[in-house]
Amino acid sequence: GIIEVMDEFFSANLAQDVIRGMKENAMRGHFTGGKPPYGFRIEKVKDEHKLRSTLVPETTLAPVAKRAFNMAISGKGIKEIAKGFNNDGIITATGKKWTSTGIHSLLTNEVYTGTLVWGKRSNIQPIRIENAWPAIVDRETFLKVQAILKSRAPKIIHPRRAVSDYLLSGIIKCGVCGKAMSGHSAKSGKFFYYRCSNATKRGPSECPGHWIPKSKIEGFIVDRIRSYILTEENLLELASIVNEEIDASMNSVMERQETLELQISDADSRLEHLYDALEKGSFSSDELAPRIRKLQERKNGLLEKKCEIAVEAQPNFLEMPELKVIQGYVENLSSFLASSSIVEKRGFLKSFVNEIIVVDGMITINYRLPMPPENSEEENIAVLPFIQHGRPYRSRTCDTLIKS
Ligand SMILES: [Zn+2]
């Protein structure tokens, strides 16, 4: 969703003061990420006047993480490891089945050697701190596993572009029949297009199936995002949307706090009644003691929870950036779009754009958010000169065949 994108955008890319704060945190060996990696839990430690996070191996899950490394050392591939975990009923930190990707990112994460690495994805020099927290695997094992993974990595030689190379897959649709458009190459992988999947499967009697040059349509959409969505006004609005979301989650924290307060005072008044009864001698202490103990335990549990929530309740608002900073964001986001991988780019695009519908001479972009200036979620752009009828390599012209 938008909040993840903006979160990443604001925290990983940008504003020097945010980076400075996080960097400082990282230098002290504090965990600055969100959720703890598999096998760890977050522990709050007092550092001067602030509570900060560090990682601690989780008693039951840390050995599982270690097992993945041992399996890799013993020659098991990432697919096999994922399969083994799933067969054993081991689930990921988010309660899902393991995938090769999940295992791969576990096995390549230096966090398991007790090392903190921060700022890998931003354009500043990353910070590395060894022994930031207890290791789950030793460095030697970790390095061995990296070497194994490297030697096993398939050498990718694709004469044609993989489906995943198409930035707009999953977003772009045929406006004539409503089916998805998919990526194609023509002239033995020299030229790339999007075309209606219906037309491709069932022929032109089902749908005329225009051929849309990949680089042109992708360039067009990315430019659109860059110049039209990434305006200062929009970014300010997005920042306020993020703050509203944070506000809402703060509210739910406060609601939970209130509920806890009620439960605690309920336990208190019950305890008082029991003490009263004890004083008056209406019941024997043998009868009352277990009930009092039980209530006290319950109350202690509630107090502990209250403490945990108090940590969460520290507000974490994005500061409304000043215009100058926003300009920096626009530039950063533009370069992010220009330099990031196709998967990141597509993820970013998807957080703004719901779908792109192409018909004869007209593109409709459905945005996920109302977009200024007209606050509309739909934009129609007429006359794209590059939509093409018929098979591309029979009617080749300069404009319709674009070398990617
Ligand atoms: Zn179609």
Side-chain angles (χ1 to χ4, degrees):
I2 198 87
I3 189 155
E4 284 87 4
V5 173
M6 291 310 284
D7 195 37
E8 178 158 329
F9 175 54
F10 277 97
S11 62
N13 255 331
L14 332 218
Q16 291 309 311
D17 49 344
V18 177
I19 288 190
R20 208 179 306 127
M22 292 182 83
K23 205 168 162 178
E24 195 182 298
N25 243 347
M27 302 248 242
R28 290 164 186 241
H30 295 292
F31 181 66
T32 50
K35 284 190 183 135
Y38 185 89
F40 285 103
R41 64 183 168 80
I42 287 180
E43 199 169 86
K44 300 278 173 186
V45 288
K46 211 163 177 195
D47 178 47
E48 287 166 25
H49 307 293
K50 276 187 181 166
L51 276 177
R52 297 184 195 263
S53 303
T54 189
L55 294 178
V56 178
E58 211 275 337
T59 355
T60 52
L61 302 184
V64 181
K66 192 171 181 176
R67 200 171 123 201
F69 283 91
N70 290 339
M71 285 168 90
I73 294 271
S74 74
K76 297 253 188 311
I78 48 175
K79 239 188 215 164
E80 269 177 284
I81 300 174
K83 211 174 156 194
F85 276 15
N86 292 332
N87 286 344
D88 290 349
I90 295 166
I91 49 169
T92 67
T94 50
K96 297 197 176 102
K97 281 194 169 179
W98 283 93
T99 59
S100 315
T101 320
I103 295 291
H104 186 266
S105 63
L106 187 151
L107 292 177
T108 52
N109 195 342
E110 271 196 277
V111 76
Y112 294 102
T113 64
T115 306
L116 176 152
V117 182
W118 186 84
K120 235 183 184 170
R121 299 174 68 184
S122 56
N123 36 18
I124 59 164
Q125 179 78 21
I127 295 168
R128 283 184 85 258
I129 294 169
E130 292 186 11
N131 306 316
W133 41 73
I136 291 178
V137 294
D138 57 79
R139 178 144 292 273
E140 199 189 331
T141 307
F142 182 82
L143 291 176
K144 241 189 229 167
V145 169
Q146 305 317 300
I148 293 171
L149 288 176
K150 222 175 184 179
S151 70
R152 276 175 166 247
K155 304 212 168 23
I156 306 161
I157 312 154
H158 277 309
R160 295 173 176 202
R161 270 170 193 258
V163 177
S164 58
D165 276 355
Y166 290 84
L167 178 65
L168 305 177
S169 27
I171 306 175
I172 188 165
K173 280 190 182 145
C174 167
V176 179
C177 70
K179 291 273 155 53
M181 294 187 115
S182 52
H184 292 270
S185 63
K187 277 268 161 191
S188 25
K190 275 191 192 145
F191 307 104
F192 306 101
Y193 298 89
Y194 289 96
R195 195 191 185 206
C196 170
S197 57
N198 198 19
T200 307
K201 267 188 222 145
R202 299 193 184 82
S205 60
E206 285 289 321
C207 185
H210 311 305
W211 297 81
I212 302 171
K214 175 182 185 295
S215 60
K216 280 224 165 176
I217 181 88
E218 288 180 358
F220 178 81
I221 296 291
V222 168
D223 276 353
R224 202 80 197 154
I225 303 272
R226 238 184 258 177
S227 63
Y228 175 68
I229 295 182
L230 303 182
T231 61
E232 290 163 7
E233 189 188 357
N234 282 1
L235 279 176
L236 276 172
E237 203 172 310
L238 288 174
S240 82
I241 290 171
V242 173
N243 276 343
E244 272 167 31
E245 287 192 39
I246 293 171
D247 206 17
S249 78
M250 289 294 294
N251 276 340
S252 89
V253 169
M254 269 148 78
E255 269 169 33
R256 275 160 60 207
Q257 261 173 331
E258 276 166 26
T259 314
L260 274 174
E261 291 289 354
L262 283 176
Q263 287 172 320
I264 291 168
S265 72
D266 175 63
D268 272 339
S269 70
R270 279 164 194 263
L271 271 173
E272 215 158 292
H273 278 122
L274 290 178
Y275 289 136
D276 265 359
L278 201 61
E279 270 174 25
K280 282 181 194 148
S282 21
F283 296 94
S284 75
S285 60
D286 280 354
E287 279 176 292
L288 291 178
R291 294 180 65 186
I292 290 178
R293 200 177 309 125
K294 222 175 167 184
L295 259 174
Q296 262 167 345
E297 273 167 19
R298 181 174 144 75
K299 190 187 159 187
N300 286 341
L302 290 167
L303 285 172
E304 232 169 75
K305 259 194 203 145
K306 193 181 150 190
C307 256
E308 281 168 23
I309 290 181
V311 175
E312 261 179 68
Q314 287 170 355
N316 200 13
F317 288 102
L318 296 170
E319 300 213 347
M320 268 309 191
E322 288 167 26
L323 214 58
K324 227 191 201 167
V325 182
I326 283 283
Q327 267 160 359
Y329 289 166
V330 176
E331 278 158 27
N332 269 312
L333 204 42
S334 290
S335 69
F336 170 77
L337 271 181
S339 68
S340 55
S341 78
I342 195 104
V343 177
E344 285 173 316
K345 242 188 256 182
R346 194 190 294 138
F348 181 82
L349 214 59
K350 275 186 173 168
S351 63
F352 284 105
V353 177
N354 204 11
E355 53 180 14
I356 298 163
I357 300 164
V358 185
V359 274
D360 256 345
M362 169 83 90
I363 275 193
T364 304
I365 305 179
N366 283 318
Y367 296 105
R368 290 193 185 277
L369 300 167
M371 282 295 163
E374 272 136 43
N375 248 19
S376 159
E377 291 184 20
E378 191 181 290
E379 186 191 18
N380 293 296
I381 307 143
V383 195
L384 285 166
F386 48 77
I387 296 180
Q388 184 181 343
H389 306 261
R391 277 186 96 69
Y393 38 89
R394 276 191 208 140
S395 55
R396 204 186 311 172
T397 71
C398 286
D399 193 48
T400 51
L401 281 182
I402 314 296
K403 228 175 179 173
S404 289

